[in-house]
Amino acid sequence: MNTKLTLTIEKSVIENAKKYARIKERSLSDLIENYLKALTNEEPLPENELTPIVKSLKGSFKMPENFDYKKELTDRLSEKYL
């Protein structure tokens, strides 16, 4: 059963949210409902499942094929602490 809800939010936030919803071809109500469901979800996510925020960021960064994570981490930590 759907119920109406009145929220007080800054006008600029609402305008940006409406633009985002339009781009994603979803309603603002649907976006807010799904966000609240994710926020109040009491059961823990399976270990290999991504959170909604991480899912939205997935694919936004492309690493070079020869990227050595361990070497990069070692270099950065050395710079910071040595």
Side-chain angles (χ1 to χ4, degrees):
M1 179 174 99
N2 289 337
T3 305
K4 285 192 172 195
L5 172 67
T6 302
L7 300 172
T8 304
I9 302 172
E10 274 186 46
K11 187 175 181 176
S12 62
V13 173
I14 294 170
E15 290 169 0
N16 288 335
K18 284 181 178 180
K19 288 177 189 174
Y20 177 83
R22 201 173 309 116
I23 290 168
K24 297 294 183 180
E25 297 179 351
R26 296 174 68 186
S27 70
L28 190 53
S29 292
D30 182 51
L31 290 175
I32 292 170
E33 180 178 355
N34 285 325
Y35 174 73
L36 292 174
K37 282 179 183 177
L39 190 65
T40 60
N41 187 1
E42 292 185 15
E43 60 184 67
L45 291 173
E47 198 164 313
N48 60 348
E49 189 171 335
L50 302 175
T51 64
I53 293 173
V54 174
K55 281 182 184 178
S56 72
L57 295 172
K58 187 176 178 184
S60 62
F61 173 73
K62 300 290 183 202
M63 241 179 356
E65 285 188 31
N66 61 348
F67 185 79
D68 184 356
Y69 170 77
K70 289 183 180 181
K71 180 184 179 316
E72 197 65 33
L73 180 60
T74 301
D75 291 348
R76 297 290 176 238
L77 291 175
S78 295
E79 287 175 16
K80 184 175 182 177
Y81 294 110
L82 298 180

